[in-house]
Amino acid sequence: MTNQTLASRDLSVLWHPCSQMKDHEKSPLIPIKKGQGVWLEDFDGNRYLDAISSWWVNLFGHANPHINAALKDQLDSLEHVIFAGFTHESGIKLAEQLVTLSPPGLERCFYADNGSAAVEVALKMSFHYWRNKGQTQKTKFITLENSYHGETLGALAVGNVALYKETYAPLLMDVITVPGPDCYNREDGESWADYSTRRFALMEQVLQQQSDGCCAVIIEPLVQCAGSMRMYDPVYLSLLRAACDKYQVHLIADEIAVGFGRTGTLFACEQASITPDFMCLSKGLTGGYLPLSAVLTTDKVYQAFYDDYQNLTAFLHSHSYTGNALACRAGLATLEIFQQQPIIENNKHLAITLAKVAARFHEHPNVVEVRQTGMILAIELVKNKQTREPFPWQERRGQKVYQYALSKGVLLRPLGNVIYFMPPYIITAEELELLAVVAWQGIQIAVQD
Ligand SMILES: *Cc1c(COP(=O)(O)O)cnc(C)c1O
């Protein structure tokens, strides 16, 4: 088997996610034979440094010995069982730990099987909570400009990335979209905190006027990842938490991408010392091994559903693979690694190294901003640094960086004209340097006419 034979078989039967399949006439699919640590290896023996953690899910490398061993053990006792009326040890233990590790006040764990499904669960639970409380006028959701919460229709509706959303607009529920705190747009010399605070006034205004008809505000804490890795200050979260209390709407924190150490703390909400009413987790939850998601919520929310069956207040939502035992065990093994090693502390040093290797990009004539939050670093390319005029999206400059990097053994997957590094936490300083060198060269090629 070679790359070519597999790629051609693939192209005759498969349809890949988030892809224009016609692109593969020019840029070949890459069949991966195995993964080891931060490296992927294809069928022709080429290796690729996985700088994007395989779509932000992998934390401790491919074929991680600890997670592998846990899964083999789980496989010999229980792979899966219906999670209604039945339960299992891995599901219980993982929930106990998530409740312990998450911000104080989150005391209940509801499982689903992917990030979008977790967002759907949180939206439905919030709406249903108010309904159970007799507040049937609360039907709307407030979301931020440039946000992303997944691809299913409910999650897509509360997102705001036009590329994914616009086509389906006629199918989507109506939401209230508020200008966001994205610090790319701050004035010269204005701090992240000042800008985020200033922008909060727009949210407060909407809450003041429309909270009566609203169930919840949904946000991605600190980093809008799919929205070009745009970042903001934790002060926005503190202000939002206080306002949600004041105006009686829920706060849904979508930590699907930023949870599990990405931003420098185990959960991004910790940086503002807030507890959301709902916290959505997925991606890193299983260390990048298996699809699983969780929605954590408060006892107050849980109690609003707890009643005699005949009162029809129960949350009758399910997925066939809810609480899958293998996935829960991978989640437990992932949390064990956090407990056995000083991961958060190590990441502080790694983030400093990341900043150092990326320092060269500040001076690049086509780089308008290098921004970083913990283990996420983004480099924004523009046509004109002074006017901030972007490259026309049709030119697909980021795609050229992608192609070049692959040819040099690095997997980057830019979001439009934003190149970012979001590596597994086991990456070394040398590997980070390699990333930066290859990205630099790729950018040099991509910005040529
Ligand atoms: C990836 C992502 C989702 C969707 O998760 P899927 O598992 O891809 O459905 C939702 N919210 C955020 C912030 C994400 O990054």
Side-chain angles (χ1 to χ4, degrees), residues 24-100:
H24 291 306
E25 290 176 9
K26 289 205 184 102
S27 73
L29 271 169
I30 303 176
I32 292 300
K33 187 173 183 181
K34 63 180 209 171
Q36 186 66 58
V38 296
W39 293 93
L40 298 166
E41 190 180 318
D42 71 17
F43 280 77
D44 293 349
N46 304 306
R47 295 193 337 138
Y48 308 90
L49 176 56
D50 187 354
I52 57 159
S53 299
S54 283
W55 254 346
W56 323 342
V57 299
N58 193 293
L59 303 184
F60 302 117
H62 298 275
N64 181 283
H66 184 74
I67 304 174
N68 282 6
L71 280 176
K72 285 173 186 167
D73 180 65
Q74 180 71 47
L75 201 51
D76 284 333
S77 55
L78 178 70
E79 79 300 334
H80 180 74
V81 65
I82 177 174
F83 210 63
F86 289 77
T87 191
H88 52 78
E89 195 182 358
S90 294
I92 296 165
K93 273 193 185 164
L94 180 61
E96 285 170 346
Q97 297 210 12
L98 290 174
V99 162
T100 303

Side-chain angles (χ1 to χ4, degrees), residues 56 114-116 119 148-150 220 225 254 256-257 282-283:
W56 323 342
N114 66 74
S116 302
V119 169
Y148 178 86
H149 298 290
E220 295 154 274
C225 293
D254 175 353
I256 290 165
S282 190
K283 292 205 165 102

Side-chain angles (χ1 to χ4, degrees), residues 77-392:
S77 55
L78 178 70
E79 79 300 334
H80 180 74
V81 65
I82 177 174
F83 210 63
F86 289 77
T87 191
H88 52 78
E89 195 182 358
S90 294
I92 296 165
K93 273 193 185 164
L94 180 61
E96 285 170 346
Q97 297 210 12
L98 290 174
V99 162
T100 303
L101 294 168
S102 61
L106 294 175
E107 289 168 8
R108 287 280 159 186
C109 173
F110 188 99
Y111 290 124
D113 52 14
N114 66 74
S116 302
V119 169
E120 302 284 347
V121 165
L123 297 174
K124 284 176 70 178
M125 268 186 185
S126 173
F127 165 81
H128 200 160
Y129 169 91
W130 295 116
R131 194 181 156 80
N132 283 353
K133 290 284 181 188
Q135 303 232 37
T136 49
Q137 84 290 357
K138 283 186 177 289
T139 56
K140 287 215 165 176
F141 294 94
I142 298 174
T143 183
L144 290 180
E145 180 186 6
N146 192 47
S147 57
Y148 178 86
H149 298 290
E151 302 291 349
T152 54
L153 294 177
L156 199 58
V158 294
N160 187 244
V161 178
L163 182 63
Y164 309 130
K165 181 172 185 175
E166 236 163 52
T167 309
Y168 308 100
L171 305 181
L172 304 177
M173 70 173 162
D174 205 17
V175 300
I176 300 165
T177 307
V178 177
D182 166 12
C183 289
Y184 180 75
N185 299 315
R186 72 197 187 280
E187 298 293 326
D188 264 351
E190 190 174 24
S191 72
W192 282 25
D194 285 349
Y195 183 71
S196 298
T197 304
R198 176 157 74 82
R199 295 291 279 185
F200 185 76
L202 299 163
M203 174 64 83
E204 172 107 35
Q205 218 172 46
V206 167
L207 282 169
Q208 205 171 30
Q209 290 162 2
Q210 307 195 55
S211 62
D212 193 46
C214 289
C215 304
V217 179
I218 181 166
I219 44 126
E220 295 154 274
L222 303 187
V223 188
Q224 296 185 316
C225 293
S228 302
M229 300 291 167
R230 295 295 181 83
M231 300 173 183
Y232 61 92
D233 192 90
V235 68
Y236 193 88
L237 298 175
S238 318
L239 294 168
L240 182 59
R241 175 68 277 181
C244 285
D245 286 340
K246 180 173 170 194
Y247 295 106
Q248 292 292 295
V249 301
H250 288 140
L251 175 56
I252 302 172
D254 175 353
E255 293 230 11
I256 290 165
V258 296
F260 301 101
R262 266 298 154 198
T263 66
T265 42
L266 189 60
F267 299 111
C269 282
E270 291 170 32
Q271 295 185 39
S273 305
I274 62 154
T275 299
D277 299 284
F278 301 91
M279 190 158 96
C280 302
L281 301 172
S282 190
K283 292 205 165 102
L285 174 59
T286 62
Y289 266 67
L290 285 159
L292 179 70
S293 61
V295 178
L296 302 181
T297 190
T298 61
D299 188 54
K300 185 175 175 189
V301 168
Y302 179 72
Q303 292 303 336
F305 292 79
Y306 197 89
D307 203 347
D308 293 327
Y309 184 82
Q310 286 72 8
N311 292 330
L312 292 177
T313 57
F315 189 60
L316 300 179
H317 179 111
S318 63
H319 297 285
S320 313
Y321 284 98
T322 296
N324 174 264
L326 282 165
C328 287
R329 186 63 181 269
L332 269 176
T334 301
L335 291 179
E336 278 155 17
I337 297 175
F338 275 103
Q339 280 144 16
Q340 289 162 6
Q341 298 169 35
I343 302 296
I344 300 292
E345 190 54 32
N346 292 351
N347 278 2
K348 288 200 176 108
H349 303 292
L350 209 48
I352 291 168
T353 310
L354 185 54
K356 274 189 194 146
V357 302
R360 70 196 80 189
F361 294 100
H362 288 278
E363 301 312 319
H364 194 286
N366 293 99
V367 172
V368 64
E369 185 173 72
V370 179
R371 52 181 175 268
Q372 182 180 10
T373 300
M375 287 298 292
I376 307 173
L377 186 137
I379 300 160
E380 181 121 6
L381 298 185
V382 287
K383 186 168 179 180
N384 186 319
K385 192 165 178 160
Q386 276 65 49
T387 62
R388 301 183 133 210
E389 183 197 346
F391 283 115

